[in-house]
Amino acid sequence: MKIVIANGRHEADFMIKKFKQDNHKLVVINSDLEFGKYISSSNHIPVLNGDTTKSYTLEDAGIHDADVLISLSSDDIENYVTCVTAKKIFNVKRTVSVVRNPKRVDLFKQLGIDSVICSTYLLGESIKYETLVESITKTLSLENDKIVITEIQIDQEFSIANKIIKNIDFPPRINISCIFRDPDVIIPNGNSEIKPGDKLIIVSTPDEQENITEFIKNKADNNEE
Amino acid sequence: MKNSKNKILVVGSGRLGASIAGKLSTNGNDVVIIDKNSNSFRKLSDEFGGYDVVGDATDLYVLEAEALIKDINEVIITTDSDNVNLFIAHICFYIYNVPHIYVRLNDIDKGILIEDTSIKPIYPFSLSFDDYMQKRSERDEK
């Protein structure tokens, strides 16, 4: 693949090393003369110094028909203009922009940037997911911790979503006592289907609990039959 | 209820932005002018009767809640950065479908990025170039 790395500092350096290992054709442009020299000598690669929002810089660098351009400037708008120019004038197939301001992720996508990456945004999403995972499982212990009741909400990504219970290869000693599908409460049998959004109420011993929740939370792609 | 007056947004209160805002306002238009820096509004003439908004015009929240972009039918973008001007012009065109958009671009090469839109560029380069050529030909005629 022909990959263009526009601006950026250590993240650019890191990517160049990685892409070089995989034998991609690299075009590197950096507006910081000194840092450009550093990247150039540490990776044994030519680095063009220039403003990537100017079409003549991109022309000089020869980015025509590149497969992907990654714009890593700390200035969001510089990244935007670089990506738009690459796409419109130089027929670059895919543009990737980093942004500092998380509010711009969706905006950049709406304006035609193929991928928009924001570390703050990713952090937020990941925290949201973490808290979601925590809330998935509620546990109630009975008889001095000899029996536990686990409540798990089924996400549509889980491999058991949209499957009939008897077709699911459950681990032994699992007992789905009840399915709560708002507003209904279903006492399941082998022919009951598990749907996304269902809450399963599972009775088990504490030892089994971890295995069971792990099995149920398994995502679809690594558990296809 | 639709106001019959033309609602205009001027982005950037430099010499050009402030002068345009003042002129359009005295001609009876509803004008909103936005700039990041409140000191910039000192360039506005005393006759200016519109609203000034301190804020970042690349922020959709500011555009919607303070500049009322959805009611605007004409926008003139005059900040000192071509890249910022282009970005705001694209937002006005692609996100808010503002009917009339004018954008100042110092670099005429960037005009290609608004080519297939209804955004109209204003090039100080072309104006100066034409002005010089005009004056030069006047001299030759004498």
Side-chain angles (χ1 to χ4, degrees), chain A residues 114-131:
Chain A
D114 299 299
S115 300
V116 187
I117 299 164
C118 173
S119 52
T120 315
Y121 187 87
L122 289 177
L123 189 65
E125 289 296 302
S126 126
I127 289 168
K128 213 164 76 185
Y129 182 70
E130 292 288 332
T131 50

mmCIF file of all heavy atoms in Angstrom, chain A residues 114-131:
data_model
loop_
_atom_site.group_PDB
_atom_site.id
_atom_site.type_symbol
_atom_site.label_atom_id
_atom_site.label_comp_id
_atom_site.label_asym_id
_atom_site.label_seq_id
_atom_site.Cartn_x
_atom_site.Cartn_y
_atom_site.Cartn_z
ATOM 1 N N ASP A 114 -12.742 9.905 6.105
ATOM 2 C CA ASP A 114 -13.132 8.495 6.242
ATOM 3 C C ASP A 114 -13.017 7.985 7.685
ATOM 4 O O ASP A 114 -13.885 7.283 8.166
ATOM 5 C CB ASP A 114 -12.277 7.626 5.317
ATOM 6 C CG ASP A 114 -12.482 8.021 3.863
ATOM 7 O OD1 ASP A 114 -13.622 7.915 3.395
ATOM 8 O OD2 ASP A 114 -11.523 8.472 3.217
ATOM 9 N N SER A 115 -11.910 8.324 8.336
ATOM 10 C CA SER A 115 -11.751 7.901 9.732
ATOM 11 C C SER A 115 -11.274 9.078 10.558
ATOM 12 O O SER A 115 -10.393 9.805 10.132
ATOM 13 C CB SER A 115 -10.701 6.801 9.871
ATOM 14 O OG SER A 115 -11.057 5.695 9.140
ATOM 15 N N VAL A 116 -11.856 9.226 11.720
ATOM 16 C CA VAL A 116 -11.477 10.320 12.604
ATOM 17 C C VAL A 116 -11.138 9.725 13.960
ATOM 18 O O VAL A 116 -11.929 8.969 14.528
ATOM 19 C CB VAL A 116 -12.621 11.352 12.740
ATOM 20 C CG1 VAL A 116 -12.144 12.560 13.523
ATOM 21 C CG2 VAL A 116 -13.132 11.771 11.375
ATOM 22 N N ILE A 117 -9.948 10.047 14.441
ATOM 23 C CA ILE A 117 -9.482 9.430 15.675
ATOM 24 C C ILE A 117 -9.222 10.526 16.704
ATOM 25 O O ILE A 117 -8.534 11.494 16.432
ATOM 26 C CB ILE A 117 -8.178 8.653 15.429
ATOM 27 C CG1 ILE A 117 -8.417 7.544 14.404
ATOM 28 C CG2 ILE A 117 -7.644 8.068 16.728
ATOM 29 C CD1 ILE A 117 -7.144 6.987 13.831
ATOM 30 N N CYS A 118 -9.798 10.334 17.880
ATOM 31 C CA CYS A 118 -9.595 11.313 18.947
ATOM 32 C C CYS A 118 -9.335 10.549 20.226
ATOM 33 O O CYS A 118 -10.174 9.762 20.648
ATOM 34 C CB CYS A 118 -10.838 12.191 19.094
ATOM 35 S SG CYS A 118 -10.760 13.287 20.501
ATOM 36 N N SER A 119 -8.179 10.778 20.838
ATOM 37 C CA SER A 119 -7.851 9.965 22.017
ATOM 38 C C SER A 119 -8.827 10.227 23.157
ATOM 39 O O SER A 119 -9.225 9.313 23.860
ATOM 40 C CB SER A 119 -6.414 10.188 22.450
ATOM 41 O OG SER A 119 -6.163 11.546 22.588
ATOM 42 N N THR A 120 -9.257 11.472 23.320
ATOM 43 C CA THR A 120 -10.205 11.772 24.396
ATOM 44 C C THR A 120 -11.535 11.066 24.150
ATOM 45 O O THR A 120 -12.147 10.505 25.056
ATOM 46 C CB THR A 120 -10.469 13.291 24.474
ATOM 47 O OG1 THR A 120 -9.230 13.956 24.379
ATOM 48 C CG2 THR A 120 -11.164 13.660 25.751
ATOM 49 N N TYR A 121 -11.942 11.076 22.882
ATOM 50 C CA TYR A 121 -13.201 10.428 22.495
ATOM 51 C C TYR A 121 -13.115 8.927 22.757
ATOM 52 O O TYR A 121 -14.016 8.329 23.344
ATOM 53 C CB TYR A 121 -13.430 10.702 21.015
ATOM 54 C CG TYR A 121 -14.752 10.263 20.442
ATOM 55 C CD1 TYR A 121 -15.868 11.091 20.500
ATOM 56 C CD2 TYR A 121 -14.876 9.031 19.802
ATOM 57 C CE1 TYR A 121 -17.070 10.706 19.941
ATOM 58 C CE2 TYR A 121 -16.078 8.641 19.238
ATOM 59 C CZ TYR A 121 -17.171 9.482 19.309
ATOM 60 O OH TYR A 121 -18.353 9.098 18.746
ATOM 61 N N LEU A 122 -11.992 8.325 22.345
ATOM 62 C CA LEU A 122 -11.819 6.883 22.548
ATOM 63 C C LEU A 122 -11.833 6.542 24.030
ATOM 64 O O LEU A 122 -12.437 5.567 24.455
ATOM 65 C CB LEU A 122 -10.495 6.414 21.937
ATOM 66 C CG LEU A 122 -10.439 6.405 20.408
ATOM 67 C CD1 LEU A 122 -9.052 6.001 19.942
ATOM 68 C CD2 LEU A 122 -11.479 5.452 19.840
ATOM 69 N N LEU A 123 -11.170 7.407 24.812
ATOM 70 C CA LEU A 123 -11.133 7.190 26.258
ATOM 71 C C LEU A 123 -12.551 7.212 26.813
ATOM 72 O O LEU A 123 -12.943 6.340 27.591
ATOM 73 C CB LEU A 123 -10.277 8.290 26.888
ATOM 74 C CG LEU A 123 -9.939 8.143 28.357
ATOM 75 C CD1 LEU A 123 -9.076 6.922 28.583
ATOM 76 C CD2 LEU A 123 -9.226 9.389 28.851
ATOM 77 N N GLY A 124 -13.326 8.194 26.371
ATOM 78 C CA GLY A 124 -14.712 8.313 26.820
ATOM 79 C C GLY A 124 -15.528 7.093 26.459
ATOM 80 O O GLY A 124 -16.258 6.538 27.282
ATOM 81 N N GLU A 125 -15.379 6.645 25.205
ATOM 82 C CA GLU A 125 -16.122 5.471 24.749
ATOM 83 C C GLU A 125 -15.733 4.252 25.564
ATOM 84 O O GLU A 125 -16.566 3.433 25.933
ATOM 85 C CB GLU A 125 -15.832 5.204 23.269
ATOM 86 C CG GLU A 125 -16.446 6.216 22.333
ATOM 87 C CD GLU A 125 -17.965 6.197 22.375
ATOM 88 O OE1 GLU A 125 -18.554 5.130 22.116
ATOM 89 O OE2 GLU A 125 -18.564 7.231 22.695
ATOM 90 N N SER A 126 -14.420 4.137 25.815
ATOM 91 C CA SER A 126 -13.965 2.954 26.522
ATOM 92 C C SER A 126 -14.451 2.961 27.971
ATOM 93 O O SER A 126 -14.845 1.944 28.515
ATOM 94 C CB SER A 126 -12.448 2.842 26.379
ATOM 95 O OG SER A 126 -11.830 2.728 27.608
ATOM 96 N N ILE A 127 -14.486 4.161 28.576
ATOM 97 C CA ILE A 127 -15.008 4.242 29.939
ATOM 98 C C ILE A 127 -16.492 3.894 29.946
ATOM 99 O O ILE A 127 -16.975 3.164 30.804
ATOM 100 C CB ILE A 127 -14.773 5.652 30.532
ATOM 101 C CG1 ILE A 127 -13.290 5.845 30.810
ATOM 102 C CG2 ILE A 127 -15.581 5.839 31.801
ATOM 103 C CD1 ILE A 127 -12.898 7.263 31.118
ATOM 104 N N LYS A 128 -17.207 4.366 28.927
ATOM 105 C CA LYS A 128 -18.629 4.078 28.834
ATOM 106 C C LYS A 128 -18.841 2.563 28.755
ATOM 107 O O LYS A 128 -19.713 2.008 29.398
ATOM 108 C CB LYS A 128 -19.183 4.758 27.573
ATOM 109 C CG LYS A 128 -20.602 5.229 27.691
ATOM 110 C CD LYS A 128 -20.954 6.204 26.590
ATOM 111 C CE LYS A 128 -21.178 5.524 25.272
ATOM 112 N NZ LYS A 128 -21.401 6.471 24.170
ATOM 113 N N TYR A 129 -17.975 1.906 27.940
ATOM 114 C CA TYR A 129 -18.110 0.477 27.771
ATOM 115 C C TYR A 129 -17.787 -0.261 29.060
ATOM 116 O O TYR A 129 -18.482 -1.180 29.466
ATOM 117 C CB TYR A 129 -17.209 -0.006 26.632
ATOM 118 C CG TYR A 129 -17.350 -1.476 26.387
ATOM 119 C CD1 TYR A 129 -18.526 -1.978 25.823
ATOM 120 C CD2 TYR A 129 -16.349 -2.358 26.751
ATOM 121 C CE1 TYR A 129 -18.687 -3.325 25.628
ATOM 122 C CE2 TYR A 129 -16.505 -3.712 26.555
ATOM 123 C CZ TYR A 129 -17.671 -4.202 25.990
ATOM 124 O OH TYR A 129 -17.830 -5.535 25.810
ATOM 125 N N GLU A 130 -16.718 0.202 29.722
ATOM 126 C CA GLU A 130 -16.335 -0.425 30.991
ATOM 127 C C GLU A 130 -17.495 -0.372 31.979
ATOM 128 O O GLU A 130 -17.809 -1.349 32.633
ATOM 129 C CB GLU A 130 -15.138 0.297 31.612
ATOM 130 C CG GLU A 130 -13.841 0.148 30.850
ATOM 131 C CD GLU A 130 -13.243 -1.239 30.961
ATOM 132 O OE1 GLU A 130 -13.506 -1.882 31.985
ATOM 133 O OE2 GLU A 130 -12.552 -1.665 30.034
ATOM 134 N N THR A 131 -18.128 0.786 32.079
ATOM 135 C CA THR A 131 -19.201 0.898 33.058
ATOM 136 C C THR A 131 -20.397 0.057 32.632
ATOM 137 O O THR A 131 -21.106 -0.489 33.461
ATOM 138 C CB THR A 131 -19.648 2.362 33.244
ATOM 139 O OG1 THR A 131 -19.885 2.916 31.960
ATOM 140 C CG2 THR A 131 -18.608 3.179 33.953
#
